[in-house]
Amino acid sequence: NIPDEMGRLTKLQVLAMEVKRLVGTMPSSIFNISSMVALNVALNQLRGRLPSDLGVTFTNLEFLGLTENLFTGYIPISISNASKIRRLCIDGNKFTGKVPPLEKLHELQWLCFEDNQLGTGEVGDLSFLSSLTNATNLVYVGLRNNSFGGKLPESVSNFSRNLNLLLLDNNKIFGSIPTGIGNLVKLQQIELWENQFTGNIPADIGKLQELLILRLSNN
């Protein structure tokens, strides 16, 4: 277990524990360390829920790494208040529900939400993507292997021109592929397979001269 006493390290800035052997819950006191810049507990067996005020207390946080644990519950609405976050990696857990708006995360570069139980399979699941148009340094959006439904918003075409990877496969997304996707000139990989997309493949995809991988199967 992570000892509760670690929450007394009130000036702690970096907590990195990628050791594959940690179990139990994260002490709530750790989430109150306002000086925290990087919290990485990836590749463990930690469980529990994230506190609702996470983004209020972690105002200096730049990296949150919870990859491949057993966390459950909702992504806190307050996460958008942690406006300095560059990498938000919660992939490989059991998070559920809708993703809240992320409009204040202007510094965001990596959004890793893969391999969870996010979304409801219904209209509006992906509305939060429209709030990411303010993240001008965004290079990675990973939402694969969830339960996201609804349409892929046209606002995706207004994402950062630095975007390299768009991973949306194995969800329940329907409707057409946004026609302006060709604006994302640095895209190297687009994964839209195992969804319910219909209609034509946009001619704009032909503008993506750096594209290496395009997967549209099983739509």
Side-chain angles (χ1 to χ4, degrees):
N1 296 321
I2 300 175
D4 290 339
E5 287 78 6
M6 292 196 71
R8 298 178 188 173
L9 304 175
T10 56
K11 295 184 179 180
L12 194 66
Q13 294 184 347
V14 176
L15 178 61
M17 295 181 166
E18 297 176 272
V19 295
K20 298 186 179 180
R21 294 182 180 177
L22 293 173
V23 298
T25 58
M26 288 277 292
S28 59
S29 55
I30 288 180
F31 292 110
N32 291 324
I33 302 177
S34 60
S35 58
M36 192 78 74
V37 174
L39 173 61
N40 188 3
V41 293
L43 306 172
N44 285 289
Q45 298 180 49
L46 295 169
R47 55 185 172 79
R49 295 171 176 258
L50 298 180
S52 60
D53 60 349
L54 178 82
V56 177
T57 55
F58 273 174
T59 54
N60 292 303
L61 196 68
E62 296 180 10
F63 176 34
L64 180 63
L66 308 179
T67 299
E68 291 192 28
N69 278 282
L70 302 171
F71 288 102
T72 56
Y74 299 118
I75 299 171
I77 294 175
S78 68
I79 191 71
S80 187
N81 290 316
S83 58
K84 295 181 181 179
I85 286 184
R86 298 176 185 273
R87 295 198 177 200
L88 181 54
C89 298
I90 63 169
D91 47 310
N93 283 280
K94 297 181 179 181
F95 287 106
T96 55
K98 288 194 172 185
V99 177
L102 306 172
E103 71 274 356
K104 296 180 183 179
L105 303 186
H106 296 171
E107 304 296 323
L108 192 64
Q109 298 174 354
W110 286 63
L111 180 75
C112 314
F113 283 3
E114 305 101 299
D115 301 304
N116 279 286
Q117 299 166 21
L118 292 166
T120 63
E122 299 175 356
V123 173
D125 275 352
L126 295 173
S127 59
F128 74 94
L129 289 177
S130 297
S131 66
L132 292 176
T133 55
N134 294 322
T136 56
N137 295 313
L138 194 64
V139 296
Y140 184 104
V141 174
L143 305 179
R144 63 183 4 160
N145 299 329
N146 278 287
S147 295
F148 290 115
K151 294 184 177 181
L152 186 59
E154 289 286 338
S155 57
V156 167
S157 302
N158 296 321
F159 275 2
S160 165
R161 298 299 184 267
N162 295 313
L163 191 69
N164 291 152
L165 292 98
L166 183 62
L167 313 179
L168 305 176
D169 48 288
N170 199 17
N171 280 287
K172 302 174 182 178
I173 307 169
F174 56 82
S176 57
I177 300 170
T179 54
I181 198 168
N183 295 335
L184 307 177
V185 292
K186 291 190 177 179
L187 269 177
Q188 296 180 0
Q189 185 172 352
I190 303 174
E191 305 275 1
L192 303 181
W193 53 286
E194 287 288 351
N195 278 288
Q196 299 167 26
F197 284 106
T198 53
N200 297 324
I201 299 173
D204 258 18
I205 286 182
K207 297 178 181 178
L208 303 177
Q209 296 187 18
E210 297 190 23
L211 195 64
L212 303 174
I213 297 173
L214 174 62
R215 289 193 176 124
L216 305 174
S217 58
N218 292 348
N219 280 287

